[in-house]
Amino acid sequence: MFDLPSYNQWNYTIGGSYKHFSKNRFTTIVVSRNHLNNSSNKYENNDFTLSAGKILDYQSSEIENKLRVEETVRLQNWKINYGVGLEDVNYTNGTFNKLPNNITLDFNSAINFQKYSGFGQISKTFTKANTTVSFGTRIDGNNYGENMKDPFSQFSPRLAVSTKIYKSFYFNSSAGIYYQLPAYTILGYKNNDGVFTNKSIPYIRNKQVVAGFEYL
């Protein structure tokens, strides 16, 4: 008989936004909070009455409090968007796991760190050519580890082109570099000596090219 884990998960998201309009522009302020809670248990032979036979006991919680401020400006065929973001992260993890190779993971960890970002994008529509060109950049950083502190190390340029080729048909293409924070389970991992082993981990980088057709 397979040993199947029992899962329990719940989450919520709450937030609000404020927009202020003025001539040719508007400002947006967004505040939000999301909370994800996970638990998982597994017993030998699926016998949940034997606490001594427990081979997995996992509890984790992820809380993110976010603030974003951005400005959008429209000038004739130009659109300019820029802003900044701040985020406070709290992550806890309690793991007990007996692995098949007779190794047991048993640790509790808690991390708190702050993430910060800046972004900007400029777009122009060329009416005669039925084409819109957009160029943007983004920087991301946080104070979890030394390899993540400098936001300019995570500099992400993006370029997109959309062309109307016939009536309601469009050809869209884009290219860019994107950075993503590793999963909190990786950042919050401790060895059995109680030491965080992934403090030197960098952001995950992805180079992406996308093209396709659209009917609107």
Side-chain angles (χ1 to χ4, degrees):
M1 179 181 295
F2 293 104
D3 297 326
L4 300 177
S6 172
Y7 294 101
N8 183 37
Q9 182 184 95
W10 57 262
N11 68 85
Y12 69 83
T13 300
I14 187 171
S17 66
Y18 168 79
K19 286 190 176 183
H20 174 74
F21 292 87
S22 55
K23 185 178 180 180
N24 299 328
R25 67 179 62 213
F26 62 90
T27 303
T28 305
I29 302 174
V30 181
V31 178
S32 66
R33 174 186 173 94
N34 58 274
H35 187 176
L36 171 64
N37 193 85
N38 273 307
S39 65
S40 179
N41 294 281
K42 185 163 63 173
Y43 294 79
E44 292 182 355
N45 300 318
N46 291 339
D47 189 348
F48 287 79
T49 63
L50 294 176
S51 59
K54 181 178 287 189
I55 58 179
L56 173 66
D57 187 349
Y58 174 82
Q59 308 283 333
S60 72
S61 174
E62 302 175 10
I63 302 175
E64 297 173 329
N65 298 298
K66 303 178 182 181
L67 169 66
R68 188 179 81 251
V69 180
E70 63 179 278
E71 182 93 355
T72 301
V73 182
R74 293 184 181 273
L75 299 171
Q76 296 181 351
N77 292 332
W78 293 86
K79 179 182 177 182
I80 303 170
N81 174 262
Y82 55 91
V84 295
L86 294 173
E87 187 172 335
D88 181 72
V89 176
N90 284 282
Y91 173 75
T92 59
N93 184 327
T95 296
F96 173 82
N97 190 10
K98 289 184 177 180
L99 302 176
N101 54 3
N102 294 321
I103 294 177
T104 299
L105 301 178
D106 189 3
F107 68 89
N108 290 277
S109 69
I111 56 176
N112 170 252
F113 63 96
Q114 288 70 46
K115 298 159 64 176
Y116 35 87
S117 62
F119 56 90
Q121 181 170 304
I122 183 169
S123 304
K124 179 174 174 56
T125 300
F126 299 89
T127 306
K128 292 183 179 180
N130 291 321
T131 298
T132 299
V133 178
S134 176
F135 175 75
T137 60
R138 181 182 173 93
I139 52 175
D140 288 276
N142 66 74
N143 59 2
Y144 171 81
E146 290 297 325
N147 288 341
M148 297 183 178
K149 281 187 176 181
D150 183 5
F152 292 98
S153 296
Q154 289 76 234
F155 177 75
S156 308
R158 298 97 183 266
L159 177 66
V161 180
S162 177
T163 302
K164 183 178 181 180
I165 53 178
Y166 179 75
K167 292 186 177 179
S168 297
F169 285 93
Y170 294 80
F171 175 73
N172 301 323
S173 60
S174 63
I177 298 175
Y178 299 84
Y179 285 90
Q180 179 179 332
L181 191 69
Y184 293 138
T185 50
I186 296 176
L187 302 182
Y189 175 75
K190 280 183 176 181
N191 60 22
N192 287 344
D193 296 325
V195 177
F196 289 102
T197 61
N198 295 320
K199 276 289 187 177
S200 61
I201 194 170
Y203 274 80
I204 300 169
R205 186 178 68 172
N206 172 40
K207 296 179 180 179
Q208 190 174 100
V209 177
V210 178
F213 294 93
E214 177 184 18
Y215 175 75
L216 184 63

